Amino acid sequence: MEKKLVIIPTYNEIENISKIIGAVLALEGDYQVLVIDDGSPDGTAAAVRSLQQEFPERLHLVERSGKLGLGTAYVAGFKWALERDYDYIFEMDADFSHNPADLPRLLAACTQDGADLSIGSRYCDGINVVNWPLGRIMMSYCASIYVRAALGIKIYDSTAGFVCYSRKVLETIDLDAVRMKGYGFQIELKYTAKKLGFRIQEVPVIFVNRREGTSKMSGSIFGEAFWGVLGLRFRKLHPAQK
């Protein structure tokens, strides 16, 4: 059976973390979870440590000091996973905006349909977003249109944070060369994978706005993504050196 790791970055997710971990570990298929916590003052990491006593082989924790950015959290998680020979590595939020029950569908896109990277897509089959303000929906949807136009890639939800990577994708991408730290990171990784020749498949999902906890979105995150996309178009991409 393939080794599967779900990476969940956290900052102040005490309301959600135990429930999301329980939901992932309850799935069939022996999924494992790695929480990357950026020094949450609300006790998120302590809650994970407590759960590790119940799931010592399937629940893992990396604690970092301070908010270092979503992108750096995932890069740290990717490197952790590659060092431990996981076959499929997932990105997922802690707040149930991504439904854990969709993880097997993302996996199947890779294991059965031949994709190297699959995306839980809000926009490949209409607009499937629940409980977001209209302005937020339009900003996100228009951002994906902008990315398709600016980068010339046919990905409908380039900013999606619900992703399954096959191991070979993350081994090939030079993770040390990743520049963007916020949600632009999601665009950068998908674009890099596409330019390196990997097959990407979008899987329609329903995105539900968080019910508990506080969103980490900010205007600076969108600013980084906007200007970072322009820079991506002119970058020369090279596979990681082995």
Side-chain angles (χ1 to χ4, degrees):
M1 182 182 292
E2 306 95 349
K3 289 183 66 178
K4 302 176 287 290
L5 183 70
V6 180
I7 301 174
I8 304 177
T10 55
Y11 183 77
N12 285 350
E13 291 289 355
I14 191 64
E15 297 94 344
N16 296 302
I17 193 60
S18 296
K19 289 178 283 189
I20 196 72
I21 289 170
V24 174
L25 297 184
L27 294 170
E28 293 184 5
D30 198 32
Y31 290 81
Q32 297 187 28
V33 172
L34 170 64
V35 175
I36 310 281
D37 186 70
D38 273 6
S40 299
D42 69 349
T44 297
V48 177
R49 287 195 298 272
S50 179
L51 280 173
Q52 282 182 305
Q53 299 175 34
E54 184 177 352
F55 304 103
E57 302 298 323
R58 298 180 62 200
L59 177 57
H60 314 281
L61 173 66
V62 171
E63 296 183 69
R64 309 195 304 171
S65 56
K67 294 180 69 175
L68 302 176
L70 181 76
T72 67
Y74 275 127
V75 167
F78 294 158
K79 291 180 176 180
W80 191 97
L82 293 175
E83 289 169 0
R84 291 160 178 82
D85 297 322
Y86 286 91
D87 300 298
Y88 293 96
I89 299 97
F90 298 80
E91 298 180 2
M92 192 175 77
D93 290 348
D95 60 6
F96 284 93
S97 56
H98 306 139
N99 186 346
D102 287 326
L103 287 168
R105 297 175 60 227
L106 296 187
L107 179 65
C110 294
T111 59
Q112 298 176 23
D113 298 343
D116 301 304
L117 183 162
S118 62
I119 301 168
S121 177
R122 297 164 289 187
Y123 306 130
C124 70
D125 184 25
I127 299 177
N128 294 310
V129 177
V130 177
N131 292 336
W132 251 9
L134 180 60
R136 180 80 178 274
I137 294 173
M138 294 307 298
M139 183 178 294
S140 173
Y141 186 70
C142 290
S144 288
I145 294 174
Y146 162 69
V147 171
R148 287 202 303 275
L151 297 181
I153 55 174
K154 193 176 180 181
I155 297 175
Y156 288 92
D157 195 356
S158 55
T159 61
F162 196 20
V163 184
C164 174
Y165 293 92
S166 63
R167 177 184 181 84
K168 61 185 175 181
V169 174
L170 297 179
E171 284 181 325
T172 304
I173 292 174
D174 185 356
L175 296 174
D176 290 326
V178 174
R179 297 180 182 178
M180 290 193 248
K181 295 183 178 181
Y183 280 82
F185 164 85
Q186 304 292 3
I187 302 167
E188 183 174 357
L189 264 285
K190 295 177 184 70
Y191 175 70
T192 302
K194 190 72 172 177
K195 295 299 286 185
L196 290 174
F198 289 108
R199 183 178 173 224
I200 298 175
Q201 180 173 323
E202 292 189 78
V203 177
V205 300
I206 296 174
F207 178 95
V208 180
N209 192 29
R210 66 162 64 234
R211 294 185 177 89
E212 298 183 88
T214 304
S215 172
K216 314 306 184 295
M217 188 64 69
S218 69
S220 62
I221 288 174
F222 280 104
E224 180 207 43
F226 180 87
W227 294 110
V229 164
L230 295 179
L232 279 177
R233 190 67 186 263
F234 300 101
R235 280 178 59 187
K236 291 184 178 179
L237 299 176
H238 303 283
Q241 298 297 314
K242 303 300 182 186

